[in-house]
Amino acid sequence: MKILIRCYARFRDAFGEEQALELPEGATILDAVRTLAGTGPDAELLIDNVGNIRSYVMIMHHDVRVSPMEAESVSLSDGDMIILFPPVSGG
Amino acid sequence: MIAITRDPIDPYRFIESAKKPETGGIVTFIGTVRDDGIEALDLDVCEEVALSDLNKIAEQATADYHLNTVDIIHRVGRMQLTETILVIVVGSSHRQEGFAACSWILEQIKAFVPIWKKDIWKNGESWHFSKEEGN
């Protein structure tokens, strides 16, 4: 299946604004983020040394925030989009 | 008004419009570009999510602090030193609720609204980026 990942700010500089990824059926958000991390030289921005998504990464899926700890339990469907936000700094 | 804009913000129009018979105090926060050795600041936004978040924050603040009015206007794009980044104007019957609400709104924006600052230097640029786990 194909999914899209859109990145903002620092993550966009590292991984591009939007990437289409081919993933196996049943793949989760964690699988998608690990795959995206492997496409650039700055994987450690997204993934720690044991393969978990860093806790500062904000994930949006179907207009809902998903915590990095939940990412392994959310399965994706063909055509889904995930949005990744780095730590915010507005105000 | 709850808004994200790329244009300069005039805070006084929001202060004037917050004057209501039932309001006894108007608390205003104006965030500006500070000179940390930078030439300018560039703010990026995920506008759809940020606007939705700001509306939710305003609704929650109105309910929790019994506000009569609330305005949040956040500017994005390129800004020079001293320019206004953010205006929060809250009108309340009593001052304590106004001060508390204004502070709470600002902290909520800083905690999770998807807006990002990038410092523009003479010889480069860098995102504000905290790697603190759980930040």
Side-chain angles (χ1 to χ4, degrees):
Chain A
M1 64 178 176
K2 183 180 282 186
I3 67 115
L4 290 171
I5 299 191
R6 180 179 296 165
C7 294
Y8 282 85
R10 176 80 182 276
F11 291 167
R12 182 181 56 222
D13 288 355
F15 302 102
E17 184 165 357
E18 196 167 290
Q19 283 213 38
L21 301 178
E22 278 291 342
L23 297 172
E25 293 297 323
T28 66
I29 289 177
L30 175 61
D31 297 322
V33 175
R34 283 175 173 165
T35 302
L36 179 72
T39 65
D42 297 316
E44 75 285 353
L45 271 178
L46 297 176
I47 301 292
D48 66 19
N49 56 9
V50 293
N52 294 322
I53 301 173
R54 292 196 180 276
S55 62
Y56 57 66
V57 179
M58 295 185 182
I59 306 162
M60 297 285 298
H61 178 237
H62 291 165
D63 296 328
V64 174
R65 282 176 166 83
V66 178
S67 79
M69 291 180 66
E70 297 170 319
E72 192 171 11
S73 65
V74 181
S75 296
L76 297 168
S77 301
D78 186 52
D80 273 5
M81 173 177 278
I82 300 168
I83 302 175
L84 300 182
F85 297 149
V88 300
S89 53
Chain B
M1 175 188 281
I2 309 299
I4 292 169
T5 180
R6 283 169 173 74
D7 299 322
I9 306 168
D10 172 15
Y12 300 104
R13 61 174 280 216
F14 299 104
I15 294 169
E16 283 301 313
S17 68
K19 293 178 178 174
K20 308 287 183 192
E22 66 273 23
T23 291
I26 298 168
V27 177
T28 302
F29 174 83
I30 301 174
T32 57
V33 180
R34 184 178 57 235
D35 185 357
D36 288 333
I38 61 174
E39 294 216 321
L41 207 55
D42 207 340
L43 274 78
D44 190 14
V45 62
C46 177
E47 190 157 346
E48 186 181 330
V49 176
L51 194 55
S52 171
D53 286 346
L54 292 180
N55 275 287
K56 288 175 188 166
I57 290 168
E59 287 171 17
Q60 190 71 47
T62 299
D64 290 352
Y65 296 95
H66 314 293
L67 301 179
N68 299 325
T69 60
V70 56
D71 298 285
I72 308 172
I73 303 91
H74 206 305
R75 189 175 171 194
V76 296
R78 182 68 60 99
M79 277 160 265
Q80 305 302 315
L81 300 180
T82 77
E83 283 198 281
T84 297
I85 304 169
L86 169 68
V87 171
I88 303 169
V89 179
V90 300
S92 58
S93 299
H94 304 286
R95 68 184 183 283
Q96 293 94 339
E97 289 167 326
F99 281 119
C102 194
S103 177
W104 181 83
I105 290 168
L106 178 59
E107 295 310 316
Q108 293 297 298
I109 292 170
K110 286 184 170 292
F112 69 88
V113 177
I115 297 173
W116 302 272
K117 291 189 180 95
K118 183 162 66 174
D119 289 337
I120 308 299
W121 310 87
K122 193 171 286 183
N123 299 313
E125 55 188 41
S126 62
W127 291 105
H128 290 211
F129 188 90
S130 169
K131 284 189 174 182
E132 280 181 41
E133 296 287 318
N135 187 38

